Amino acid sequence: LLATGLSVGVSSYVKFVRTVSLQRSAGIAAAAKLVEVPTWPALVVAGISIASKEWLFRITKRVGEKLNSQVVIANAWHHRSDAYSSVLALISIFLAMAFPGFLAADPAAGMLVAGMICMTGAEILGESVKQLTDAVTDEQILKNVQTVSSRDADVKEVTRVRARQVGSSALVDVAVTTGPDLSASAMRAVEERIRAKIISDVDGVLDVDVKATGEDVVFCPLMTAEEVAEMEHKISATEVEEGGRKVLENHPDVKSVEGVTAHFLDTVTVRVDANIRVDPNTTVLQANSLAKELRKLLEESNEDIEQANIFLDLNMERPTENRNKVLSQ
């Protein structure tokens, strides 16, 4: 479009200067004889061009917006610029035919058309450069992503929505906060659920990266650089769970350990939830005493364990039911 606009502008300017020079040197009458005056078939062709180019513009632009393709949209605006050119050509032809002395109307209109074409081309070029540099994203996509993410029942707050353009689609990055005490698998389920919902409900999204964090998980801003570096040497959740399981299994009153789950209260401390089975003849008083003892053993076994909870698993006869009784928190 820029090249076309410059070409039309230069050609129209040269013709305008030549026409004005002829009028000044030879007079209007003589110049009218030297410059070819358009006839009525030119008016008809200009009218047909206006209608056809405007029709092509509307169809092509609709397809370009549906595909979110700047190339197709640029082609649509090329049709619109042709329609504008035809409008000005129609006016200039009419003026040249009605007023033979107004010979400069046609090249003057050509320069106006050239300016319009260059403006359209510069605007489309700017949008394309922004897309190539990942500097632009449709704001409506960000709003739609935030709306879809916040509708999930487990989401307390959408803390971040970012996107960058990749061709005609966008890559989206979402961070949400969930309720406390969700396990890692539950967090993963929330992330996958939100991701699938965004891809299915929001147009123009190529892929989504969702990060879910419990609202009770925080990063301490007062930590020094040395403390942050030391975090690299902290044991993982798997190591905490395996160590806790060994501690529980080594106790003579524990028949079996059904599960040990580590929950990070922040970036440093951990809470451990353990499900155990004991002798069915154990009384409630004995079970409570055992739970307190096991809780103390877990907390002393690892300095990173801030809190330990022991749960009695009562699923001896019906293992598919979840009926855990909390003994100690």
Side-chain angles (χ1 to χ4, degrees), residues 255-269:
K255 296 300 182 182
S256 65
V257 179
E258 300 304 314
V260 178
T261 305
H263 298 273
F264 283 85
L265 302 178
D266 49 37
T267 51
V268 180
T269 58

Side-chain angles (χ1 to χ4, degrees), residues 10-125:
V10 171
S11 177
S12 299
Y13 176 76
V14 171
K15 186 176 180 180
F16 178 81
V17 171
R18 184 168 65 88
T19 302
V20 172
S21 299
L22 283 174
Q23 287 180 336
R24 288 180 177 179
S25 61
I28 296 177
K33 295 180 181 179
L34 296 175
V35 177
E36 184 178 357
V37 178
T39 57
W40 68 266
L43 284 174
V44 176
V45 172
I48 295 174
S49 176
I50 293 172
S52 61
K53 287 297 182 179
E54 181 63 21
W55 178 70
L56 286 172
F57 163 76
R58 294 177 183 273
I59 293 179
T60 309
K61 186 170 183 290
R62 189 181 301 120
V63 173
E65 290 176 345
K66 183 177 180 180
L67 299 177
N68 195 22
S69 172
Q70 289 299 317
V71 174
V72 178
I73 293 175
N75 191 41
W77 280 103
H78 189 276
H79 292 312
R80 172 57 70 84
S81 66
D82 288 343
Y84 289 155
S85 302
S86 299
V87 170
L88 293 177
L90 182 68
I91 296 174
S92 63
I93 291 171
F94 174 77
L95 291 176
M97 292 176 60
F99 307 97
F102 196 32
L103 299 176
D106 184 56
M111 287 189 288
L112 290 175
V113 170
M116 296 169 60
I117 295 175
C118 288
M119 288 179 60
T120 303
E123 182 180 349
I124 295 174
L125 177 63

Side-chain angles (χ1 to χ4, degrees), residues 214-225:
E215 62 181 359
D216 57 346
V217 177
V218 295
F219 183 86
C220 179
L222 301 179
M223 293 178 65
T224 64

Side-chain angles (χ1 to χ4, degrees), residues 76-277:
W77 280 103
H78 189 276
H79 292 312
R80 172 57 70 84
S81 66
D82 288 343
Y84 289 155
S85 302
S86 299
V87 170
L88 293 177
L90 182 68
I91 296 174
S92 63
I93 291 171
F94 174 77
L95 291 176
M97 292 176 60
F99 307 97
F102 196 32
L103 299 176
D106 184 56
M111 287 189 288
L112 290 175
V113 170
M116 296 169 60
I117 295 175
C118 288
M119 288 179 60
T120 303
E123 182 180 349
I124 295 174
L125 177 63
E127 291 296 324
S128 299
V129 170
K130 288 180 180 179
Q131 284 196 0
L132 288 174
T133 56
D134 296 339
V136 63
T137 300
D138 189 353
E139 290 296 329
Q140 190 61 43
I141 289 181
L142 299 180
K143 293 180 181 179
N144 292 342
V145 168
Q146 175 137 6
T147 300
V148 171
S149 302
S150 61
R151 288 175 182 168
D152 192 279
D154 290 324
V155 173
K156 300 296 183 181
E157 181 184 3
V158 180
T159 57
R160 184 184 68 236
V161 177
R162 298 184 300 188
R164 62 186 181 91
Q165 205 72 20
V166 179
S168 60
S169 301
L171 294 178
V172 179
D173 176 23
V174 182
V176 299
T177 300
T178 64
D181 300 329
L182 286 184
S183 65
S185 59
M187 289 282 195
R188 181 62 177 169
V190 171
E191 293 172 350
E192 288 299 321
R193 191 165 60 242
I194 294 175
R195 178 180 180 275
K197 196 67 175 174
I198 291 174
I199 292 178
S200 64
D201 292 359
V202 181
D203 295 332
V205 174
L206 179 63
D207 197 7
V208 186
D209 182 22
V210 183
K211 173 67 175 179
T213 307
E215 62 181 359
D216 57 346
V217 177
V218 295
F219 183 86
C220 179
L222 301 179
M223 293 178 65
T224 64
E226 290 78 8
E227 289 174 327
V228 173
E230 289 177 1
M231 287 181 59
E232 298 179 358
H233 305 290
K234 297 291 184 180
I235 60 177
S236 65
T238 301
E239 292 172 320
V240 172
E241 293 171 359
E242 290 178 350
R245 181 180 290 274
K246 290 180 180 179
V247 170
L248 297 174
E249 289 176 342
N250 289 334
H251 196 283
D253 292 334
V254 176
K255 296 300 182 182
S256 65
V257 179
E258 300 304 314
V260 178
T261 305
H263 298 273
F264 283 85
L265 302 178
D266 49 37
T267 51
V268 180
T269 58
V270 181
R271 187 193 77 217
V272 174
D273 294 340
N275 290 351
I276 63 171
R277 287 184 180 179

